[in-house]
């Protein structure tokens, strides 16, 4: 009887064989038709805590605050993630419940940091006694933490050869 790990390894091998080895030109043989991330948008019930966290702990500059496009009761805040890319949070009146991880849901999102930014972020998390874990990947070193909304944030530093 096959266990879950064996099934996952078989699945990955099949994906690599089909999409990379046999049909690489179809799935990889072109330049991506995007020039980066314009913005990510999340919903928050904790607007002040979110602003404090992303400016004071993560050190993203608060870029702008404005009313929602389709509903003027919505408050949108935008943070500068660098390279013209933005992180947005929407405070929507009377929203019930929180985002959940699951099928079609968000598992986590990640920011790229350089060595100095990575060490500074770790120091600020430690100073505030905010929980996090670190992981060494083959190409990344990461800090994984949660923001005030319970959203998992990965702070990733590339390993350079």
């Amino acid at each position: 009887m096959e266990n879950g790990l064996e099934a996952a390894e078989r699945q990955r091998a099949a994906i690599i064989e089909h999409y990379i080895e046999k049909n690489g030109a179809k799935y990889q043989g072109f330049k991506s038709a995007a020039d980066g991330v314009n913005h990510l948008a999340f919903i928050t019930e904790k607007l002040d805590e979110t602003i404090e966290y992303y400016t004071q702990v993560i050190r993203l500059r608060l870029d702008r605050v404005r009313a929602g496009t389709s509903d003027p009761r919505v408050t949108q805040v935008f943070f500068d993630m660098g390279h013209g890319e933005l992180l947005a949070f929407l405070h929507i009146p009377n929203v019930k419940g929180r985002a959940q991880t699951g099928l079609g849901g968000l598992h986590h999102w990640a920011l790229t940091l350089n060595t100095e930014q990575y060490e500074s972020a770790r120091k600020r998390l430690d100073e505030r006694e905010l929980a996090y874990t670190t992981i060494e990947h083959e190409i990344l070193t990461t800090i994984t933490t949660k923001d005030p909304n319970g959203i998992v944030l990965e702070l990733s530093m590339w390993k350079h050869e």
Side-chain angles (χ1 to χ4, degrees):
M1 173 148 239
E2 182 176 63
N3 67 33
L5 179 58
E6 291 167 343
E9 288 172 350
R10 242 183 44 276
Q11 178 189 42
R12 286 188 290 272
I15 290 169
I16 291 167
E17 180 183 3
H18 179 77
Y19 293 101
I20 295 174
E21 293 170 356
K22 288 185 177 177
N23 299 295
K26 181 177 179 181
Y27 296 100
Q28 296 180 304
F30 55 89
K31 184 176 180 183
S32 289
D35 199 25
V37 173
N38 181 280
H39 69 277
L40 301 171
F42 298 102
I43 295 171
T44 182
E45 293 177 337
K46 300 177 178 181
L47 193 55
D48 291 327
E49 293 96 325
T50 298
I51 292 169
E52 285 294 318
Y53 179 82
Y54 282 99
T55 61
Q56 303 306 302
V57 178
I58 305 304
R59 299 300 289 168
L60 300 182
R61 182 175 56 89
L62 180 61
D63 193 56
R64 77 185 115 178
V65 178
R66 67 178 183 86
T69 305
S70 60
D71 184 347
R73 296 172 301 157
V74 172
T75 297
Q76 296 178 315
V77 296
F78 294 85
F79 301 93
D80 180 1
M81 294 192 298
H83 306 285
E85 298 168 352
L86 299 171
L87 170 64
F89 280 89
L90 288 72
H91 184 261
I92 302 172
N94 302 319
V95 169
K96 300 291 182 206
R98 299 209 182 278
Q100 297 179 3
T101 300
L103 187 60
L106 174 76
H107 183 272
H108 74 276
W109 75 283
L111 279 170
T112 300
L113 306 181
N114 64 34
T115 303
E116 180 182 334
Q117 293 166 334
Y118 182 90
E119 293 304 328
S120 294
R122 184 196 299 249
K123 181 180 177 187
R124 289 188 299 275
L125 288 164
D126 287 340
E127 288 171 350
R128 290 167 177 80
E129 298 180 350
L130 296 172
Y132 66 89
T133 59
T134 58
I135 300 172
E136 292 282 330
H137 296 287
E138 60 277 359
I139 59 171
L140 292 171
T141 300
T142 66
I143 294 171
T144 303
T145 188
K146 287 186 178 180
D147 80 358
N149 306 290
I151 299 168
V152 177
L153 169 61
E154 194 173 275
L155 304 172
S156 301
M157 179 177 60
W158 292 108
K159 291 183 179 179
H160 298 286
E161 299 175 11

